[in-house]
Amino acid sequence: MTRSDSTSSDDIGVVKHDFSACYNQDWPHSYLKAHLALDYIIPDRAKPVFHATLDRYRAVRRKDHLKIIDVGCSYGINAALLRTDMTLDDLYAAYAAIDGPLAGRRSAQHRAFFASREIGADIRIVGVDPSERAARYARAVGLVDAIVTTDLEASDLTDPEKRALAGADILISTGCVGYATERTFKRIYEATANSHPWVATFVMHPYSYDGIARMLATYNLQTRETLVARQRRFSSDAEQQGLLDAMLDRGIDSRLERTTGYIYASFHLSTLSNELLSGMLLP
Ligand SMILES: C[S@@+](CC[C@H](N)C(=O)[O-])C[C@H]1O[C@@H](n2cnc3c(N)ncnc32)[C@H](O)[C@@H]1O
């Protein structure tokens, strides 16, 4: 067993804050309330990185209209940020303020809200998440164009799901690796391999990306870890200690976590090896 494999995702799950009660509801309000309480910020930090990745992909592949797969799409938070010029704080306020435009529970109103803010980013987004109600919300309000709700840790894609994923350009993900492992990413990649999509993933410390990177290497993708970004605050002293111990155990530098009281995530970008351009800068 290598050092980085010595603590399993299950071990981390025992100490990590449990958000699962809000993952699969008809409406996103309790998800956003629970995440705002811990200053969950990673989708906001990911937004410019994803935009830079999309821009780079367009330049390298000479393509304008892109098909994105958001692994662990939940209620469509990444989609909302990528399709509009909103920040995560704007979204939190829209849902949480008493008179916020998304405080109510009328699909048509939510759909109109996002449609009026669409900035025409020339993207189509497929959301993957076994939390079916959350994914259905994202589709109902137009944040994602299609959804895949099979739990790909446990079961294979259905044929319609394979068709929904085919031809993808880029897989993105925030806050999901750990729940989703190389089992899920392999099933998705296999269904999209003909178009050789890039994979752009934020992975919360101390989860490991090694298994996914190794799997992607079998499709000739090379993975680089290019930056770290804030994910959220620790929920308690016990969580902080448990995750810092797990980081130590895995040989992950925890200076940022100890200094700030925030958990960080590492950004991994996988591209075909001849597309790993030197000087490629990401924010
Ligand atoms: C912390 S949330 C992140 C959601 C969203 N990406 C964000 O950053 O706001 C984790 C998400 O992973 C999803 N998830 C859990 N198991 C999964 C799996 N096997 N495959 C894909 N997503 C999964 C949960 O349903 C939940 O929506």
Side-chain angles (χ1 to χ4, degrees):
M1 186 188 292
T2 65
R3 184 174 178 78
S4 67
D5 289 334
S6 60
T7 357
S8 72
S9 292
D10 290 348
D11 295 333
I12 299 168
V14 172
V15 291
K16 184 181 157 295
H17 184 74
D18 182 7
F19 288 103
S20 57
C22 60
Y23 280 167
N24 195 22
Q25 302 200 2
D26 289 333
W27 294 92
H29 301 88
S30 61
Y31 176 90
L32 288 160
K33 188 174 173 195
H35 285 71
L36 176 59
L38 292 180
D39 196 12
Y40 183 77
I41 196 173
I42 192 66
D44 212 43
R45 297 298 162 106
K47 174 175 173 159
V49 181
F50 288 153
H51 272 307
T53 304
L54 267 58
D55 287 347
R56 172 58 67 174
Y57 182 94
R58 285 188 173 103
V60 171
R61 297 269 178 108
R62 298 173 195 279
K63 204 172 168 190
D64 291 331
H65 294 79
L66 304 187
K67 179 167 174 178
I68 312 294
I69 297 175
D70 185 3
V71 185
C73 68
S74 185
Y75 300 91
I77 310 296
N78 285 326
L81 297 181
L82 288 178
R83 286 185 184 282
T84 72
D85 61 6
M86 297 176 76
T87 65
L88 188 57
D89 272 341
D90 296 332
L91 265 188
Y92 280 136
Y95 284 103
I98 290 171
D99 55 354
L102 300 176
R105 285 162 170 72
R106 281 188 46 234
S107 269
Q109 197 171 350
H110 288 215
R111 177 179 265 280
F113 175 86
F114 289 115
S116 69
R117 283 162 180 77
E118 175 102 39
I119 51 172
D122 292 339
I123 51 176
R124 206 181 128 68
I125 303 180
V126 181
V128 176
D129 202 311
S131 295
E132 193 167 343
R133 291 182 189 151
R136 283 189 188 286
Y137 167 85
R139 190 181 56 186
V141 303
L143 288 173
V144 300
D145 303 284
I147 55 174
V148 167
T149 56
T150 296
D151 180 354
L152 303 175
E153 288 297 295
S155 310
D156 209 351
L157 290 155
T158 65
D159 286 340
E161 287 176 338
K162 286 181 186 166
R163 285 194 290 277
L165 295 174
D169 293 291
I170 304 181
L171 275 57
I172 62 169
S173 188
T174 55
C176 180
V177 168
Y179 299 114
T181 70
E182 56 268 33
R183 282 189 287 275
T184 290
F185 279 80
K186 182 172 177 47
R187 284 179 161 132
I188 295 172
Y189 210 87
E190 187 61 37
T192 62
N194 282 347
S195 51
H196 309 294
W198 289 6
V199 184
T201 308
F202 283 86
V203 182
M204 191 184 99
H205 296 163
Y207 287 112
S208 170
Y209 200 60
D210 294 353
I212 295 173
R214 271 197 302 270
M215 181 280 294
L216 293 173
T218 68
Y219 294 92
N220 295 323
L221 292 194
Q222 281 189 15
T223 298
R224 285 186 311 173
E225 186 181 323
T226 59
L227 54 86
V228 293
R230 275 184 195 197
Q231 171 118 351
R232 65 163 168 84
R233 279 204 313 264
F234 290 105
S235 61
S236 64
D237 291 347
E239 186 193 42
Q240 181 160 13
Q241 200 50 58
L243 293 183
L244 287 175
D245 287 350
M247 289 178 69
L248 183 66
D249 193 30
R250 292 178 164 220
I252 299 172
D253 181 358
S254 62
R255 269 173 299 182
L256 285 170
E257 275 83 358
R258 282 184 280 115
T259 309
T260 64
Y262 278 76
I263 309 170
Y264 281 69
S266 294
F267 177 63
H268 303 260
L269 179 63
S270 310
T271 68
L272 291 174
S273 46
N274 61 352
E275 296 172 326
L276 276 181
L277 307 176
S278 61
M280 172 169 168
L281 292 177
L282 291 169

